[in-house]
């Protein structure tokens, strides 16, 4: 009877175990189905169904982890507007080409590679939040072109950044960008593990007995330099401590006759090869930059390579739409530069950049002006320059023929100007055209015609005013009006060839010479 009750109890226990297992399997299957429904609702964008599944799973206290697939992240590049500020609160806007799936750590590395700001000095602010390095840009709402982020640059002192550490990290990152393996060039403070010590040979019996003298004689002297920070003894060829990355003492020199071991020889060889590759890549980049410079020099206009805002019309210019001036590197749109040239009253067009503190003194080059204007506009610009040069030159003379565009620069010993445009001969002394008449005949005829001819009367009044002001004088021999254009006080009458002193208004030589106090002072008498 006792055995039968035990068998019955075991049977009931087995039945309960089977029932519990069945219920557990059914519950697990139901939870798995709810999880699949939740995934489908999230994938399809059904918020209501997703909320119902989440509530049911929460009531069942089911642990749940949601992971977003990489395919769900936007893969296209976007233009991120970044305001870069330093301790002086000076904001410089730049544009970065990023992807929303990028992490903040990747963004810091990109800024470090392109602009040279180490990640330790970068402090990003996105949407009034301080993002963590493992968080993506999409997590903080960066999804479209023109989204805004701010980069605050800390000082190297605040970031506890040393100059040598920065240089090593920058070189390492540049080598990685050039495709050179990191292990090929071990920087200072390499974290590569030290090689294990070679196995020792059989122990001497005297050493086994614990003789201190034998132990000291068996130890080989340590060769290398001791780290001043952690006291680790490094190999002589290592430039930095293997343990704490501290620099090798500057006064340390590799012992004479030291032979590096096999591992050091391999490292030194790889380092030399890496440096050769780096120098080759650097030289190739220099040649490419030189060829690009030659290509740009052959172009009339230098187009912008990045998206910028025109400082005149404030329009956003895509890459290739703006024009960068060669002399000052300011960038504008073509329409604003063209308007600046056409509205300029000077033959030398200055750069139109100006703000509250600075006005650019740079000028547009001739080939830039020619490329921005049409042929008709460029010819009009050249005519303006010629007109300004003529008006501002003391020794210039314009042909007196009506609507003639001929003009010249004259010297003191030249009295006539044969115009190459209208082929008329201009008298530079009378400032008129009097063909078939000499200067005296022209002036006599001018006085006769002055009574009835208004133009002749105006010319006569002009000559009289010049005589009264001292800008002209009567020849003491033939009495024609003569003028001194330039040079010393010795002049020669073009009619009678009399040599005249401009100071005394009389002959320079002969018995009629008259000396006044001004002339005496001039000659030192």
């Amino acid at each position: 009877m006792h055995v039968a009750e035990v068998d019955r109890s075991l049977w009931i226990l087995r039945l309960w175990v089977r029932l519990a297992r069945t219920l557990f399997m059914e519950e697990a299957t139901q939870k798995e189905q709810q999880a699949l429904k939740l995934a489908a609702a999230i994938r399809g964008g059904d918020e209501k169904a997703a909320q119902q599944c989440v509530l049911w799973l929460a009531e069942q206290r089911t642990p749940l982890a949601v992971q977003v697939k990489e395919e769900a992240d936007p893969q296209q590049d976007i233009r991120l507007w970044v305001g870069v500020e330093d301790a002086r609160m000076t904001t410089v806007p730049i544009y970065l080409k990023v992807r929303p799936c990028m992490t903040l750590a990747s963004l810091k590395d990109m800024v470090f590679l392109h602009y040279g700001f180490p990640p330790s000095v970068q402090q990003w602010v996105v949407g009034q939040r301080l993002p963590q390095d493992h968080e993506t840009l999409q997590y903080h709402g960066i999804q479209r072109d023109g989204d805004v982020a701010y980069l605050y640059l800390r000082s190297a002192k605040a970031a506890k950044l040393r100059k040598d550490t920065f240089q090593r990290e920058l070189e390492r990152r540049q080598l990685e960008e050039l495709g050179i393996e990191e292990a090929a060039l071990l920087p200072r403070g390499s974290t590569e593990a030290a090689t294990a010590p070679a196995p020792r040979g059989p122990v001497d019996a005297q050493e086994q007995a614990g003789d201190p003298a034998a132990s000291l004689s068996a130890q080989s002297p340590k060769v290398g330099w001791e780290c001043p920070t952690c006291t680790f003894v490094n190999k002589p060829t290592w430039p930095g401590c293997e343990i704490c990355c501290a620099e090798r003492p500057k006064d340390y020199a590799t012992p004479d006759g030291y032979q590096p071991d096999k591992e050091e020889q391999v490292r030194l060889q790889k380092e030399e090869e890496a440096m050769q590759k780096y120098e080759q890549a650097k030289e190739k980049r220099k040649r490419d930059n030189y060829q690009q410079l030659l290509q740009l020099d052959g172009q009339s206009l230098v187009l912008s390579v990045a998206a910028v805002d025109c400082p005149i019309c404030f329009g956003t210019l895509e890459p290739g739409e703006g024009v960068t001036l060669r002399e000052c590197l300011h960038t504008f749109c073509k329409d604003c530069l063209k308007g600046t040239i056409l509205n300029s009253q000077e033959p030398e067009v200055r750069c139109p950049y100006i703000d509250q503190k600075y006005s650019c003194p740079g000028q547009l080059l001739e080939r830039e002006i020619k490329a921005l204007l049409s042929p008709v506009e460029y010819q009009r610009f050249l005519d303006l320059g010629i007109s300004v040069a003529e008006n501002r030159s003391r020794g210039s003379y314009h042909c007196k023929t009506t609507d003639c565009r001929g003009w010249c620069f004259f010297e003191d010993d030249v009295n006539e100007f044969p115009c190459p445009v209208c082929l008329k001969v201009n008298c530079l002394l009378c400032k008129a055209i009097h063909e078939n008449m000499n200067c005296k005949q022209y002036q006599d005829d001018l006085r006769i015609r002055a009574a009835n001819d208004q133009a002749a009367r105006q010319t006569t009044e002009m000559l009289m005013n010049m005589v009264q002001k001292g800008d002209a004088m009567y020849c003491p021999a033939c009495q024609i009006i003569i003028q001194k254009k330039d040079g010393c006080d010795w002049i020669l009458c073009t009619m009678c060839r009399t040599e005249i002193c401009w100071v005394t208004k009389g002959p320079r030589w002969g018995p009629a010479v008259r000396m006044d106090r001004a002339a005496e002072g001039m000659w030192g008498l």
Side-chain angles (χ1 to χ4, degrees):
M1 187 66 180
H2 180 69
V3 174
E5 291 180 357
V6 171
D7 292 339
R8 182 180 179 184
S9 299
L10 290 175
W11 180 79
I12 294 174
L13 181 61
R14 292 192 187 98
L15 181 62
W16 275 106
V17 169
R18 291 178 182 177
L19 182 60
R21 185 182 299 173
T22 303
L23 293 176
F24 177 77
M25 292 298 296
E26 291 180 356
E27 184 179 358
T29 303
Q30 192 174 4
K31 291 180 180 179
E32 183 178 358
Q33 291 177 355
Q34 289 293 332
L36 294 176
K37 288 182 180 179
L38 176 60
I42 294 175
R43 192 182 306 111
D46 190 351
E47 297 183 3
K48 187 175 181 180
Q51 291 177 358
Q52 294 178 354
C53 295
V54 169
L55 289 176
W56 189 90
L57 292 172
E59 291 175 354
Q60 300 297 323
R61 297 183 180 181
T62 304
L64 186 66
V66 179
Q67 295 181 351
V68 181
K69 295 183 178 179
E70 294 184 357
E71 303 88 55
D73 294 331
Q75 299 298 322
Q76 73 278 5
D77 293 335
I78 62 174
R79 292 173 61 247
L80 177 64
W81 186 95
V82 179
V84 184
E85 295 187 4
D86 56 7
R88 299 181 179 179
M89 299 303 292
T90 302
T91 304
V92 178
I94 61 174
Y95 283 92
L96 297 179
K97 185 180 291 186
V98 300
R99 289 190 175 183
C101 59
M102 287 179 59
T103 62
L104 186 67
S106 302
L107 182 61
K108 288 183 177 180
D109 183 70
M110 182 176 67
V111 172
F112 177 46
L113 180 63
H114 289 206
Y115 295 94
F117 299 131
S120 58
V121 304
Q122 300 181 34
Q123 181 61 62
W124 288 84
V125 177
V126 182
Q128 299 181 355
R129 295 180 60 186
L130 299 177
Q132 301 298 322
D133 287 348
H134 65 277
E135 296 175 348
T136 63
L137 299 180
Q138 186 181 12
Y139 177 76
H140 291 276
I142 303 298
Q143 298 179 357
R144 296 177 299 276
D145 287 340
D147 284 346
V148 178
Y150 289 93
L151 170 60
Y152 296 91
L153 299 178
R154 304 166 58 197
S155 64
K157 182 177 181 181
K160 297 180 180 180
L161 179 65
R162 296 171 54 184
K163 185 176 181 180
D164 52 354
T165 307
F166 164 71
Q167 291 293 342
R168 290 198 304 269
E169 187 66 19
L170 182 60
E171 291 176 1
R172 181 193 65 81
R173 190 63 186 86
Q174 290 176 345
L175 289 174
E176 291 180 358
E177 187 68 16
L178 293 174
I180 301 175
E181 296 182 359
E182 182 180 1
L185 180 60
L186 294 178
R188 295 186 177 184
S190 173
T191 57
E192 188 175 275
T195 55
R200 300 180 60 184
V203 182
D204 187 60
Q206 189 178 11
E207 184 178 352
Q208 288 180 355
D211 188 358
S215 300
L216 292 175
S217 61
Q219 294 178 359
S220 59
K222 294 184 179 179
V223 179
W225 56 275
E226 182 176 331
C227 177
T229 303
C230 65
T231 69
F232 178 76
V233 178
N234 298 270
K235 295 180 180 180
T237 58
W238 277 93
C241 180
E242 298 183 58
I243 303 300
C244 65
C245 306
E247 287 190 7
R248 182 175 62 184
K250 295 182 179 180
D251 56 350
Y252 178 81
T254 304
D256 296 334
Y258 173 74
Q259 296 294 332
D261 56 19
K262 185 176 181 181
E263 180 189 3
E264 288 182 283
Q265 291 178 357
V266 172
R267 178 183 62 81
L268 293 175
Q269 182 179 2
K270 288 184 178 180
E271 188 177 51
E272 184 178 359
E273 292 176 356
M275 286 302 300
Q276 292 179 356
K277 291 181 180 179
Y278 174 73
E279 292 296 332
Q280 292 174 0
K282 186 177 179 180
E283 189 65 26
K284 181 178 180 300
R285 181 173 295 181
K286 286 183 179 179
R287 290 195 299 267
D288 295 342
N289 292 338
Y290 179 70
Q291 293 297 331
Q292 185 179 6
L293 180 62
L294 291 180
Q295 182 181 1
L296 290 176
D297 188 66
Q299 300 176 359
S300 299
L301 296 177
V302 178
L303 302 180
S304 59
V305 297
V308 296
D309 293 337
C310 177
I312 298 179
C313 64
F314 301 104
T316 301
L317 306 176
E318 297 295 332
E321 294 182 355
V323 176
T324 302
L325 301 183
R326 282 184 166 87
E327 188 166 325
C328 59
L329 302 182
H330 286 131
T331 303
F332 306 89
C333 65
K334 295 182 179 180
D335 293 338
C336 291
L337 284 178
K338 182 177 180 180
T340 301
I341 298 171
L342 296 178
N343 293 322
S344 176
Q345 300 300 322
E346 299 292 332
E348 295 179 346
V349 184
R350 292 185 55 180
C351 171
Y353 182 84
I354 185 173
D355 57 19
Q356 296 178 353
K357 298 181 180 179
Y358 174 74
S359 177
C360 181
Q363 296 179 356
L364 275 72
L365 302 183
E366 187 69 21
R367 56 175 172 173
E368 294 174 338
I369 296 175
K370 186 175 182 180
L372 289 169
L373 300 180
S374 64
V376 176
E377 293 170 340
Y378 182 66
Q379 185 60 43
R380 192 183 308 155
F381 174 78
L382 294 179
D383 295 341
L384 173 65
I386 294 176
S387 176
V388 172
E390 176 188 354
N391 294 333
R392 295 180 181 178
S393 301
R394 294 181 57 187
S396 65
Y397 177 82
H398 198 97
C399 179
K400 296 302 180 181
T401 303
T402 305
D403 297 333
C404 180
R405 300 175 62 183
W407 67 286
C408 70
F409 290 109
F410 63 85
E411 297 181 357
D412 186 44
D413 57 347
V414 177
N415 297 324
E416 292 183 348
F417 163 52
C419 179
V421 180
C422 64
L423 305 179
K424 299 290 185 179
V425 179
N426 291 258
C427 177
L428 300 180
L429 295 175
C430 300
K431 297 189 182 302
I433 299 176
H434 50 79
E435 295 178 339
N436 302 324
M437 289 189 295
N438 55 32
C439 294
K440 180 175 178 55
Q441 293 173 348
Y442 170 72
Q443 294 179 16
D444 293 340
D445 180 68
L446 193 63
R447 281 192 290 270
I448 295 173
R449 290 188 294 110
N452 300 320
D453 190 349
Q454 183 179 0
R457 184 166 55 253
Q458 292 177 350
T459 304
T460 303
E461 292 176 355
M462 178 194 70
L463 293 176
M464 292 299 104
N465 289 332
M466 292 176 63
V467 173
Q468 293 175 2
K469 294 179 179 179
D471 296 335
M473 62 170 288
Y474 289 102
C475 175
C478 63
Q479 295 300 311
I480 71 166
I481 299 176
I482 58 178
Q483 179 185 8
K484 183 172 78 73
K485 300 189 296 295
D486 201 358
C488 67
D489 293 328
W490 175 84
I491 60 177
L492 179 68
C493 179
T494 57
M495 288 299 301
C496 61
R497 314 298 295 178
T498 301
E499 297 184 25
I500 306 169
C501 176
W502 180 260
V503 177
T504 62
K505 310 298 182 186
R508 185 174 179 84
W509 311 107
V513 173
R514 178 177 58 87
M515 299 291 290
D516 57 7
R517 294 187 179 274
E520 292 176 0
M522 180 185 65
W523 289 101
L525 300 177

